Amino acid sequence: MLEVLLILCGLTTLFAAGWALYSRHSLRQVRRCMAALEQQHEALKRELAAFRSRNHHLVENAGEAMFLFDQDSGALQEANREARRLLGYNPAEVTHMTFKGLFSRKQRRPLLYMMSQARKTGEAEAKSVTFRRKDGSHFIGDIKVRTAEIDGRKIVHGTFHDTTPVINLQSELRRHNRHLSLLNQISQRVTEGHDLSQTLEIILEEVIKSLAISGGGIFLLENRGQEMKLAIHHNIPDPVVTDLNTIQPGLGLAGNVVTSGRPRMSKNLQKDHRRISNAVVNDNWRAFLAVPFVAEEKVLGVLFVFDRGRRDFTRDDIRLIQAIGRQLGPTLKNAELLDELQWQHRLNCASMRELERSRAALRENIEHLEQHHRTLQSLNQMKSSFLSLASHELRTPLTTILSGTEFLQEQVMSQLAEKEQRALDVIMRGSLQLNHIVENLLEAARLEAKTLYMAREAFNPLLMIQELVQEHTENCLQRGLQLELEDFPQQVVVRGDVHHLKRACDRLLENAVKFTPEGGRIAIRGRQLARPEVKALAEDLRPFSRAFFDGPLADHYLEIAIEDSGIGIEEVDRLRIFEKFQEVGDIASHSTSRASFGGKGVGLGLTLVKGIVETHEGLVWVESAGLNQGSCFAVLLPLSNPDEGKHVLG
């Protein structure tokens, strides 16, 4: 418009000057004037070009985005540098665009209304309009337009600017305000001290509403943190609730929050390998966030939220949920302490009432216990006396029977018929078996009464073991068993009763032979153990003898192990078999035979082994992987001073 006015003014001036010269001066003067006018015209043209250049420079480099387009055709005629930067086009591309191409289809109605207002009033504006860039992305801006007419053409020119950062900032501020408001509401409800379940339910609903998500829930820990219970939940179907109640600490995302004490998040549970619940997949859970309730560095529960759409939890969302978790942690702790105090109070009241009712009964029970204790002591003494008396009394008739039977076998055996000879053999075997039982009973009674004499002599245990192997070799060959003496220390000295220790080891080897089926293997090994090595075995071996580890330990020990591939021992029987009269299996299968497979005795053999070994300040135990897995009986004996090896028994 300004350019047109300048041109009109120049032409008017030229016309007036020419007419004056023509009317007043001669043609020569007119020519001189025309030359001057041409010079003036050229000067005006240069001034006009300079003005246009300055105007273009100002528009092109303006800090605000500016544009101009034809009102009738809608063709975009010009857009300055800032406008092209925001829209992502170069100058050549702008000239081929239309005004509508700058906006999304959703903006047509607001733009038509804006153009209608501009035609009526000469100017109009629109806010929060969605612009479309060349790459297809969008931004939100405000636009102002004015109408004008240049060279008979109706044009629209205007300005716009990107308000996306402002809108984002406003949205962020609104979100922060909602978060602060939510935290204030939670703090207020916590301080009001309402019912815990009601408070948690209201808080969960507020969190879900504030984050605009599908649902959530709250796990509370029970049984001293060993179990998780879904106490509160919102918008979760019953099948999913049932499945979530099976989650335990350490399992899945929520369970891992309990063990780690840190938040866990997933953008898509459908593809997350950490997920353990299939029900959440069927319910179309995708985004997931879980944070702990922490009080005094202890996790008391888990708050989780989820969304069935494509949702990315921001840092602010995580911080908000964490802040809620920090607020609710002490609340849960206080509620837990209050429940414990109330329960303890009720328990104390009940205990006091029970104590009052039980005082009289307690005195009576104490009297009964003392009486029962005296009775048990008397019965125990009677049992020991009976065993000792029975053993002694049975030995006299047994000696008579054995002597008579031996006399008959030596004197009249050849004169008897075959049946009579077999009967005499049966009497002899039965007498020997009964004599063996009586000797064991007598030895057990003496061990219990601590009247069994034990010699204290230094000897080499290797010689004792070699003798046992020789004694059982023939029996093992008859049974098809492989008996081997493997690694065994040669220069060691044990102080004790070699006779009783040999009988103890003989009973263990006899058991190995009896309970190993044909074709099996029996191995005897020995090794030295220092005191620290023995202490390292205390946790596993203490059940076999607490007194052994409670007392002082020797510097060095000898371990004698007899391992077989026999029928094995169940875990529940490992301790019980060393008790008096305890024998695994049916009593109908008991036998005192040293050769028959699986035959059982009266349950005194291992008791005698235990008594003799412990009398020597040692330890005996058994190891077995279970039935048909074989077993290994081991004896631990203290070693004497190596200097005593010069005087050992050969």
Side-chain angles (χ1 to χ4, degrees), residues 364-399:
E364 185 178 353
N365 290 337
I366 291 175
E367 294 177 358
H368 289 166
L369 287 174
E370 292 176 349
Q371 183 178 356
H372 291 161
H373 180 67
R374 291 190 295 269
T375 303
L376 288 175
Q377 285 183 327
S378 176
L379 291 174
N380 188 52
Q381 184 63 34
M382 289 174 61
K383 178 199 69 174
S384 301
S385 300
F386 170 76
L387 289 176
S388 178
L389 180 62
S391 302
H392 281 92
E393 293 300 323
L394 286 173
R395 294 192 70 178
T396 301
L398 271 176
T399 303

mmCIF file of all heavy atoms in Angstrom, residues 364-399:
data_model
loop_
_atom_site.group_PDB
_atom_site.id
_atom_site.type_symbol
_atom_site.label_atom_id
_atom_site.label_comp_id
_atom_site.label_asym_id
_atom_site.label_seq_id
_atom_site.Cartn_x
_atom_site.Cartn_y
_atom_site.Cartn_z
ATOM 1 N N GLU A 364 -0.744 -77.843 92.417
ATOM 2 C CA GLU A 364 -1.127 -79.255 92.379
ATOM 3 C C GLU A 364 -0.346 -80.011 91.313
ATOM 4 O O GLU A 364 0.106 -81.149 91.531
ATOM 5 C CB GLU A 364 -2.634 -79.365 92.111
ATOM 6 C CG GLU A 364 -3.163 -80.794 92.158
ATOM 7 C CD GLU A 364 -4.663 -80.836 91.937
ATOM 8 O OE1 GLU A 364 -5.280 -79.751 91.877
ATOM 9 O OE2 GLU A 364 -5.206 -81.948 91.817
ATOM 10 N N ASN A 365 -0.157 -79.370 90.152
ATOM 11 C CA ASN A 365 0.595 -80.013 89.080
ATOM 12 C C ASN A 365 2.056 -80.225 89.463
ATOM 13 O O ASN A 365 2.668 -81.237 89.104
ATOM 14 C CB ASN A 365 0.516 -79.187 87.803
ATOM 15 C CG ASN A 365 -0.872 -79.215 87.182
ATOM 16 O OD1 ASN A 365 -1.647 -80.145 87.438
ATOM 17 N ND2 ASN A 365 -1.193 -78.206 86.400
ATOM 18 N N ILE A 366 2.619 -79.243 90.190
ATOM 19 C CA ILE A 366 4.010 -79.387 90.629
ATOM 20 C C ILE A 366 4.150 -80.589 91.548
ATOM 21 O O ILE A 366 5.103 -81.378 91.439
ATOM 22 C CB ILE A 366 4.493 -78.097 91.312
ATOM 23 C CG1 ILE A 366 4.608 -76.969 90.282
ATOM 24 C CG2 ILE A 366 5.829 -78.321 92.002
ATOM 25 C CD1 ILE A 366 4.965 -75.622 90.892
ATOM 26 N N GLU A 367 3.192 -80.717 92.436
ATOM 27 C CA GLU A 367 3.227 -81.878 93.328
ATOM 28 C C GLU A 367 3.105 -83.181 92.548
ATOM 29 O O GLU A 367 3.821 -84.154 92.821
ATOM 30 C CB GLU A 367 2.098 -81.765 94.355
ATOM 31 C CG GLU A 367 2.267 -80.603 95.327
ATOM 32 C CD GLU A 367 1.098 -80.483 96.288
ATOM 33 O OE1 GLU A 367 0.156 -81.295 96.148
ATOM 34 O OE2 GLU A 367 1.126 -79.580 97.151
ATOM 35 N N HIS A 368 2.194 -83.173 91.536
ATOM 36 C CA HIS A 368 2.040 -84.366 90.709
ATOM 37 C C HIS A 368 3.309 -84.666 89.923
ATOM 38 O O HIS A 368 3.720 -85.830 89.795
ATOM 39 C CB HIS A 368 0.866 -84.203 89.751
ATOM 40 C CG HIS A 368 -0.459 -84.238 90.448
ATOM 41 N ND1 HIS A 368 -1.626 -83.839 89.827
ATOM 42 C CD2 HIS A 368 -0.818 -84.603 91.708
ATOM 43 C CE1 HIS A 368 -2.645 -83.981 90.670
ATOM 44 N NE2 HIS A 368 -2.166 -84.433 91.820
ATOM 45 N N LEU A 369 3.947 -83.613 89.407
ATOM 46 C CA LEU A 369 5.176 -83.805 88.653
ATOM 47 C C LEU A 369 6.286 -84.378 89.525
ATOM 48 O O LEU A 369 7.044 -85.257 89.094
ATOM 49 C CB LEU A 369 5.630 -82.480 88.027
ATOM 50 C CG LEU A 369 4.820 -81.973 86.828
ATOM 51 C CD1 LEU A 369 5.295 -80.593 86.410
ATOM 52 C CD2 LEU A 369 4.941 -82.949 85.662
ATOM 53 N N GLU A 370 6.386 -83.832 90.738
ATOM 54 C CA GLU A 370 7.407 -84.360 91.634
ATOM 55 C C GLU A 370 7.144 -85.826 91.942
ATOM 56 O O GLU A 370 8.073 -86.647 91.981
ATOM 57 C CB GLU A 370 7.431 -83.534 92.924
ATOM 58 C CG GLU A 370 7.941 -82.112 92.718
ATOM 59 C CD GLU A 370 7.870 -81.293 93.996
ATOM 60 O OE1 GLU A 370 7.235 -81.770 94.967
ATOM 61 O OE2 GLU A 370 8.426 -80.181 94.015
ATOM 62 N N GLN A 371 5.875 -86.142 92.153
ATOM 63 C CA GLN A 371 5.532 -87.534 92.419
ATOM 64 C C GLN A 371 5.824 -88.413 91.204
ATOM 65 O O GLN A 371 6.385 -89.516 91.335
ATOM 66 C CB GLN A 371 4.053 -87.634 92.803
ATOM 67 C CG GLN A 371 3.608 -89.050 93.183
ATOM 68 C CD GLN A 371 2.146 -89.077 93.589
ATOM 69 O OE1 GLN A 371 1.497 -88.040 93.659
ATOM 70 N NE2 GLN A 371 1.633 -90.266 93.859
ATOM 71 N N HIS A 372 5.472 -87.907 90.004
ATOM 72 C CA HIS A 372 5.745 -88.665 88.781
ATOM 73 C C HIS A 372 7.238 -88.817 88.559
ATOM 74 O O HIS A 372 7.704 -89.876 88.094
ATOM 75 C CB HIS A 372 5.109 -87.975 87.576
ATOM 76 C CG HIS A 372 3.612 -88.024 87.591
ATOM 77 N ND1 HIS A 372 2.829 -87.169 86.842
ATOM 78 C CD2 HIS A 372 2.747 -88.827 88.273
ATOM 79 C CE1 HIS A 372 1.553 -87.444 87.047
ATOM 80 N NE2 HIS A 372 1.479 -88.445 87.920
ATOM 81 N N HIS A 373 7.996 -87.763 88.900
ATOM 82 C CA HIS A 373 9.444 -87.837 88.737
ATOM 83 C C HIS A 373 10.035 -88.922 89.638
ATOM 84 O O HIS A 373 10.888 -89.705 89.193
ATOM 85 C CB HIS A 373 10.065 -86.471 89.057
ATOM 86 C CG HIS A 373 11.561 -86.447 88.928
ATOM 87 N ND1 HIS A 373 12.202 -86.593 87.725
ATOM 88 C CD2 HIS A 373 12.532 -86.304 89.872
ATOM 89 C CE1 HIS A 373 13.506 -86.536 87.905
ATOM 90 N NE2 HIS A 373 13.738 -86.357 89.207
ATOM 91 N N ARG A 374 9.566 -88.951 90.855
ATOM 92 C CA ARG A 374 10.046 -89.986 91.769
ATOM 93 C C ARG A 374 9.657 -91.372 91.265
ATOM 94 O O ARG A 374 10.428 -92.327 91.343
ATOM 95 C CB ARG A 374 9.483 -89.750 93.177
ATOM 96 C CG ARG A 374 10.055 -88.513 93.869
ATOM 97 C CD ARG A 374 9.655 -88.486 95.338
ATOM 98 N NE ARG A 374 8.204 -88.344 95.506
ATOM 99 C CZ ARG A 374 7.584 -87.172 95.620
ATOM 100 N NH1 ARG A 374 8.286 -86.034 95.572
ATOM 101 N NH2 ARG A 374 6.280 -87.126 95.792
ATOM 102 N N THR A 375 8.421 -91.461 90.731
ATOM 103 C CA THR A 375 7.979 -92.749 90.195
ATOM 104 C C THR A 375 8.833 -93.181 89.010
ATOM 105 O O THR A 375 9.224 -94.349 88.892
ATOM 106 C CB THR A 375 6.507 -92.661 89.772
ATOM 107 O OG1 THR A 375 5.716 -92.254 90.901
ATOM 108 C CG2 THR A 375 6.003 -93.994 89.261
ATOM 109 N N LEU A 376 9.130 -92.211 88.096
ATOM 110 C CA LEU A 376 9.948 -92.526 86.932
ATOM 111 C C LEU A 376 11.359 -92.938 87.330
ATOM 112 O O LEU A 376 11.938 -93.862 86.745
ATOM 113 C CB LEU A 376 10.005 -91.318 85.985
ATOM 114 C CG LEU A 376 8.719 -91.005 85.215
ATOM 115 C CD1 LEU A 376 8.873 -89.713 84.423
ATOM 116 C CD2 LEU A 376 8.359 -92.157 84.277
ATOM 117 N N GLN A 377 11.898 -92.232 88.328
ATOM 118 C CA GLN A 377 13.226 -92.617 88.800
ATOM 119 C C GLN A 377 13.203 -94.040 89.362
ATOM 120 O O GLN A 377 14.120 -94.836 89.116
ATOM 121 C CB GLN A 377 13.712 -91.630 89.871
ATOM 122 C CG GLN A 377 14.169 -90.292 89.315
ATOM 123 C CD GLN A 377 14.701 -89.395 90.414
ATOM 124 O OE1 GLN A 377 14.227 -89.433 91.551
ATOM 125 N NE2 GLN A 377 15.695 -88.579 90.061
ATOM 126 N N SER A 378 12.146 -94.334 90.111
ATOM 127 C CA SER A 378 12.025 -95.671 90.683
ATOM 128 C C SER A 378 11.879 -96.718 89.582
ATOM 129 O O SER A 378 12.515 -97.779 89.626
ATOM 130 C CB SER A 378 10.822 -95.724 91.633
ATOM 131 O OG SER A 378 10.635 -97.030 92.135
ATOM 132 N N LEU A 379 11.046 -96.401 88.553
ATOM 133 C CA LEU A 379 10.860 -97.335 87.448
ATOM 134 C C LEU A 379 12.146 -97.523 86.652
ATOM 135 O O LEU A 379 12.470 -98.644 86.222
ATOM 136 C CB LEU A 379 9.751 -96.837 86.514
ATOM 137 C CG LEU A 379 8.326 -96.876 87.085
ATOM 138 C CD1 LEU A 379 7.350 -96.214 86.109
ATOM 139 C CD2 LEU A 379 7.903 -98.315 87.370
ATOM 140 N N ASN A 380 12.881 -96.427 86.461
ATOM 141 C CA ASN A 380 14.138 -96.524 85.732
ATOM 142 C C ASN A 380 15.138 -97.390 86.489
ATOM 143 O O ASN A 380 15.852 -98.206 85.900
ATOM 144 C CB ASN A 380 14.712 -95.125 85.490
ATOM 145 C CG ASN A 380 15.910 -95.149 84.567
ATOM 146 O OD1 ASN A 380 15.849 -95.715 83.479
ATOM 147 N ND2 ASN A 380 16.999 -94.542 85.004
ATOM 148 N N GLN A 381 15.160 -97.179 87.812
ATOM 149 C CA GLN A 381 16.046 -97.993 88.640
ATOM 150 C C GLN A 381 15.613 -99.467 88.597
ATOM 151 O O GLN A 381 16.452 -100.372 88.505
ATOM 152 C CB GLN A 381 16.036 -97.475 90.086
ATOM 153 C CG GLN A 381 16.993 -98.207 91.008
ATOM 154 C CD GLN A 381 18.434 -98.030 90.584
ATOM 155 O OE1 GLN A 381 18.802 -96.976 90.077
ATOM 156 N NE2 GLN A 381 19.254 -99.060 90.777
ATOM 157 N N MET A 382 14.295 -99.688 88.641
ATOM 158 C CA MET A 382 13.789 -101.058 88.564
ATOM 159 C C MET A 382 14.139 -101.694 87.218
ATOM 160 O O MET A 382 14.507 -102.873 87.153
ATOM 161 C CB MET A 382 12.269 -101.065 88.759
ATOM 162 C CG MET A 382 11.819 -100.745 90.187
ATOM 163 S SD MET A 382 10.021 -100.604 90.298
ATOM 164 C CE MET A 382 9.541 -102.253 89.795
ATOM 165 N N LYS A 383 14.034 -100.875 86.133
ATOM 166 C CA LYS A 383 14.363 -101.402 84.802
ATOM 167 C C LYS A 383 15.827 -101.806 84.727
ATOM 168 O O LYS A 383 16.171 -102.898 84.251
ATOM 169 C CB LYS A 383 14.058 -100.339 83.740
ATOM 170 C CG LYS A 383 14.401 -100.767 82.330
ATOM 171 C CD LYS A 383 14.516 -99.566 81.419
ATOM 172 C CE LYS A 383 15.749 -98.762 81.814
ATOM 173 N NZ LYS A 383 16.022 -97.655 80.883
ATOM 174 N N SER A 384 16.711 -100.917 85.230
ATOM 175 C CA SER A 384 18.141 -101.231 85.195
ATOM 176 C C SER A 384 18.443 -102.447 86.058
ATOM 177 O O SER A 384 19.222 -103.332 85.671
ATOM 178 C CB SER A 384 18.949 -100.017 85.670
ATOM 179 O OG SER A 384 18.704 -98.899 84.852
ATOM 180 N N SER A 385 17.799 -102.471 87.238
ATOM 181 C CA SER A 385 18.017 -103.623 88.126
ATOM 182 C C SER A 385 17.500 -104.900 87.486
ATOM 183 O O SER A 385 18.126 -105.964 87.593
ATOM 184 C CB SER A 385 17.323 -103.387 89.473
ATOM 185 O OG SER A 385 17.829 -102.225 90.098
ATOM 186 N N PHE A 386 16.350 -104.782 86.799
ATOM 187 C CA PHE A 386 15.779 -105.962 86.157
ATOM 188 C C PHE A 386 16.698 -106.487 85.059
ATOM 189 O O PHE A 386 16.931 -107.686 84.943
ATOM 190 C CB PHE A 386 14.403 -105.633 85.580
ATOM 191 C CG PHE A 386 13.859 -106.721 84.704
ATOM 192 C CD1 PHE A 386 13.334 -107.882 85.261
ATOM 193 C CD2 PHE A 386 13.896 -106.598 83.318
ATOM 194 C CE1 PHE A 386 12.854 -108.889 84.446
ATOM 195 C CE2 PHE A 386 13.411 -107.600 82.511
ATOM 196 C CZ PHE A 386 12.880 -108.752 83.075
ATOM 197 N N LEU A 387 17.232 -105.556 84.247
ATOM 198 C CA LEU A 387 18.129 -105.978 83.183
ATOM 199 C C LEU A 387 19.354 -106.678 83.746
ATOM 200 O O LEU A 387 19.777 -107.738 83.266
ATOM 201 C CB LEU A 387 18.556 -104.774 82.331
ATOM 202 C CG LEU A 387 17.481 -104.157 81.429
ATOM 203 C CD1 LEU A 387 18.032 -102.931 80.726
ATOM 204 C CD2 LEU A 387 16.990 -105.178 80.415
ATOM 205 N N SER A 388 19.909 -106.051 84.766
ATOM 206 C CA SER A 388 21.111 -106.647 85.371
ATOM 207 C C SER A 388 20.781 -107.991 86.013
ATOM 208 O O SER A 388 21.499 -108.983 85.831
ATOM 209 C CB SER A 388 21.694 -105.681 86.398
ATOM 210 O OG SER A 388 22.823 -106.237 87.019
ATOM 211 N N LEU A 389 19.663 -108.023 86.778
ATOM 212 C CA LEU A 389 19.279 -109.254 87.461
ATOM 213 C C LEU A 389 18.922 -110.344 86.458
ATOM 214 O O LEU A 389 19.344 -111.503 86.588
ATOM 215 C CB LEU A 389 18.091 -108.978 88.396
ATOM 216 C CG LEU A 389 17.555 -110.180 89.186
ATOM 217 C CD1 LEU A 389 18.632 -110.729 90.116
ATOM 218 C CD2 LEU A 389 16.311 -109.772 89.978
ATOM 219 N N ALA A 390 18.149 -109.964 85.432
ATOM 220 C CA ALA A 390 17.740 -110.952 84.432
ATOM 221 C C ALA A 390 18.950 -111.518 83.715
ATOM 222 O O ALA A 390 19.031 -112.722 83.438
ATOM 223 C CB ALA A 390 16.775 -110.322 83.436
ATOM 224 N N SER A 391 19.902 -110.622 83.396
ATOM 225 C CA SER A 391 21.099 -111.089 82.704
ATOM 226 C C SER A 391 21.871 -112.079 83.557
ATOM 227 O O SER A 391 22.310 -113.145 83.081
ATOM 228 C CB SER A 391 21.984 -109.899 82.330
ATOM 229 O OG SER A 391 21.275 -108.998 81.521
ATOM 230 N N HIS A 392 22.039 -111.708 84.846
ATOM 231 C CA HIS A 392 22.776 -112.614 85.731
ATOM 232 C C HIS A 392 22.034 -113.935 85.929
ATOM 233 O O HIS A 392 22.626 -115.019 85.901
ATOM 234 C CB HIS A 392 23.016 -111.943 87.093
ATOM 235 C CG HIS A 392 24.150 -110.957 87.056
ATOM 236 N ND1 HIS A 392 23.956 -109.633 86.803
ATOM 237 C CD2 HIS A 392 25.487 -111.138 87.235
ATOM 238 C CE1 HIS A 392 25.113 -108.997 86.835
ATOM 239 N NE2 HIS A 392 26.076 -109.894 87.105
ATOM 240 N N GLU A 393 20.750 -113.840 86.159
ATOM 241 C CA GLU A 393 19.970 -115.039 86.447
ATOM 242 C C GLU A 393 19.845 -115.954 85.231
ATOM 243 O O GLU A 393 19.733 -117.167 85.361
ATOM 244 C CB GLU A 393 18.573 -114.655 86.951
ATOM 245 C CG GLU A 393 18.579 -113.969 88.299
ATOM 246 C CD GLU A 393 19.184 -114.852 89.394
ATOM 247 O OE1 GLU A 393 18.957 -116.091 89.357
ATOM 248 O OE2 GLU A 393 19.896 -114.316 90.257
ATOM 249 N N LEU A 394 19.854 -115.358 84.030
ATOM 250 C CA LEU A 394 19.745 -116.183 82.829
ATOM 251 C C LEU A 394 21.060 -116.876 82.480
ATOM 252 O O LEU A 394 21.074 -117.922 81.822
ATOM 253 C CB LEU A 394 19.296 -115.331 81.630
ATOM 254 C CG LEU A 394 17.828 -114.902 81.621
ATOM 255 C CD1 LEU A 394 17.574 -113.925 80.474
ATOM 256 C CD2 LEU A 394 16.912 -116.121 81.479
ATOM 257 N N ARG A 395 22.171 -116.299 82.940
ATOM 258 C CA ARG A 395 23.456 -116.875 82.569
ATOM 259 C C ARG A 395 23.652 -118.265 83.188
ATOM 260 O O ARG A 395 24.254 -119.146 82.567
ATOM 261 C CB ARG A 395 24.591 -115.955 83.005
ATOM 262 C CG ARG A 395 24.600 -114.623 82.273
ATOM 263 C CD ARG A 395 25.869 -113.861 82.508
ATOM 264 N NE ARG A 395 27.007 -114.504 81.843
ATOM 265 C CZ ARG A 395 28.246 -114.004 81.870
ATOM 266 N NH1 ARG A 395 28.481 -112.879 82.543
ATOM 267 N NH2 ARG A 395 29.227 -114.623 81.263
ATOM 268 N N THR A 396 23.165 -118.480 84.430
ATOM 269 C CA THR A 396 23.362 -119.783 85.092
ATOM 270 C C THR A 396 22.661 -120.903 84.344
ATOM 271 O O THR A 396 23.301 -121.911 83.979
ATOM 272 C CB THR A 396 22.878 -119.712 86.545
ATOM 273 O OG1 THR A 396 23.607 -118.690 87.227
ATOM 274 C CG2 THR A 396 23.079 -121.042 87.247
ATOM 275 N N PRO A 397 21.339 -120.792 84.058
ATOM 276 C CA PRO A 397 20.712 -121.888 83.293
ATOM 277 C C PRO A 397 21.252 -121.990 81.875
ATOM 278 O O PRO A 397 21.338 -123.081 81.309
ATOM 279 C CB PRO A 397 19.230 -121.531 83.296
ATOM 280 C CG PRO A 397 19.177 -120.078 83.596
ATOM 281 C CD PRO A 397 20.340 -119.785 84.486
ATOM 282 N N LEU A 398 21.646 -120.857 81.274
ATOM 283 C CA LEU A 398 22.205 -120.911 79.931
ATOM 284 C C LEU A 398 23.523 -121.677 79.921
ATOM 285 O O LEU A 398 23.808 -122.464 79.016
ATOM 286 C CB LEU A 398 22.431 -119.491 79.388
ATOM 287 C CG LEU A 398 21.259 -118.850 78.653
ATOM 288 C CD1 LEU A 398 21.593 -117.425 78.276
ATOM 289 C CD2 LEU A 398 20.920 -119.659 77.411
ATOM 290 N N THR A 399 24.330 -121.411 80.979
ATOM 291 C CA THR A 399 25.607 -122.132 81.073
ATOM 292 C C THR A 399 25.356 -123.631 81.189
ATOM 293 O O THR A 399 26.048 -124.453 80.572
ATOM 294 C CB THR A 399 26.406 -121.620 82.280
ATOM 295 O OG1 THR A 399 26.605 -120.216 82.150
ATOM 296 C CG2 THR A 399 27.753 -122.313 82.374
#
